[in-house]
Each structure stands twice: as structure tokens, then as C-alpha cells.
Amino acid sequence: MEKKQRVLIVEDEKNIVDILRFNLRKEGYDTQEAYDGEVGLALALQEAPDLILLDLMLPKMNGFEVCKRLRDQGRSTPVIIITAREAEKDKILGLDLGADDYITKPFNPIEVIARVKSQLRRYTSLGGKSG
Ligand code: CA
């Protein structure tokens, strides 16, 4: 049996975590959740998920910092930023810090799943995970 791919959800709004977890599990992914940036970064480093869904406005450490530190550690795990912030400069900064894609709230779960699949496919075809 093929091992399930695991998605780490880093988001402090519980209802959004619930929506994402429900939809990802329905699609056959395993999920892990973190409700602040520090725990999110720790899990990203320790558990080496296949993909990270990352909110920007988080307690303790914001999503930009999580993404930056992850990349500073040499991790190339795909990161999709999910945020209410629509400012163009936030989007550019996020991509500059090594995020792979960007979704703004309110989102359609179908779109999130499509982007998760797209990133995982792209990443796998590039030669799999490091770190
Ligand atoms: Ca938030």
C-alpha cells in the first residue's frame, strides 16, 4: 500500500484548520496541525511533511518567519501560504522567502486541494524530498 502523503496545516483559526483537515483527509492525505508559528516550524523540521499550508498572521512567529527559517535550514518542502492579507507586497515577500504558492482567504477548499496536488506533483517530479 502506498504511503499517504502528509500535509502540515499551520493556522491559528480552528474553523479553518477543520475545513482544511476535512477536505485533505477526504482526498486521502494525512494531516498534522499547528496553531502557532513556533510549533509549526518545529513540526516542519522534525516531521518532514510532504507539504505545508501556512497562514501568515500567527501567534508567536508569523508565517513569513516560519517560511524563511525553514528555507534557512535547507528544507525545500513545498509551502503554500494561505492568508487574509491580499496586499501585493505580502504576496511578493512570501514568494521571495521561498513560498511556492499563495491563496487568499476566503478560499474555496476545492481550489486548495487542486493547488496541493499540483505542488506535490511538481515536487515529486523534481526528485522528491530533501531533509
Ligand atoms: Ca491567522
Side-chain angles (χ1 to χ4, degrees), residues 1-130:
M1 200 172 96
E2 201 178 336
K3 191 176 176 298
K4 283 185 180 179
Q5 289 182 301
R6 191 158 24 87
V7 176
L8 172 62
I9 303 165
V10 188
E11 165 66 81
D12 58 322
E13 290 169 66
K14 189 170 182 309
N15 61 327
I16 293 179
V17 173
D18 289 346
I19 291 168
L20 290 170
R21 179 173 48 210
F22 174 81
N23 284 281
L24 287 163
R25 296 207 163 192
K26 200 171 66 174
E27 289 293 318
Y29 297 103
D30 269 340
T31 59
Q32 273 188 306
E33 300 83 34
Y35 294 90
D36 69 60
E38 279 180 11
V39 173
L41 179 62
L43 286 177
L45 292 171
Q46 287 162 21
E47 304 290 327
D50 295 290
L51 183 140
I52 302 167
L53 290 172
L54 181 63
D55 184 29
L56 284 183
M57 304 295 281
L58 291 164
K60 294 187 182 173
M61 186 190 299
N62 71 39
F64 291 128
E65 190 67 23
V66 173
C67 190
K68 180 178 181 301
R69 292 198 191 190
L70 189 68
R71 296 302 186 234
D72 284 351
Q73 297 281 325
R75 302 303 180 94
S76 54
T77 314
V79 172
I80 301 176
I81 287 176
I82 296 187
T83 183
R85 300 174 75 168
E86 290 182 47
E88 198 67 12
K89 68 174 167 53
D90 283 345
K91 188 169 178 173
I92 291 164
L93 180 56
L95 296 172
D96 266 358
L97 291 175
D100 298 281
D101 204 352
Y102 204 103
I103 295 171
T104 49
K105 296 175 194 168
F107 56 77
N108 179 339
I110 294 167
E111 182 191 0
V112 176
I113 297 295
R115 290 186 186 229
V116 165
K117 284 183 177 169
S118 160
Q119 286 300 326
L120 285 170
R121 214 166 31 233
R122 181 169 154 267
Y123 190 60
T124 307
S125 72
L126 289 175
K129 60 168 68 173
S130 66

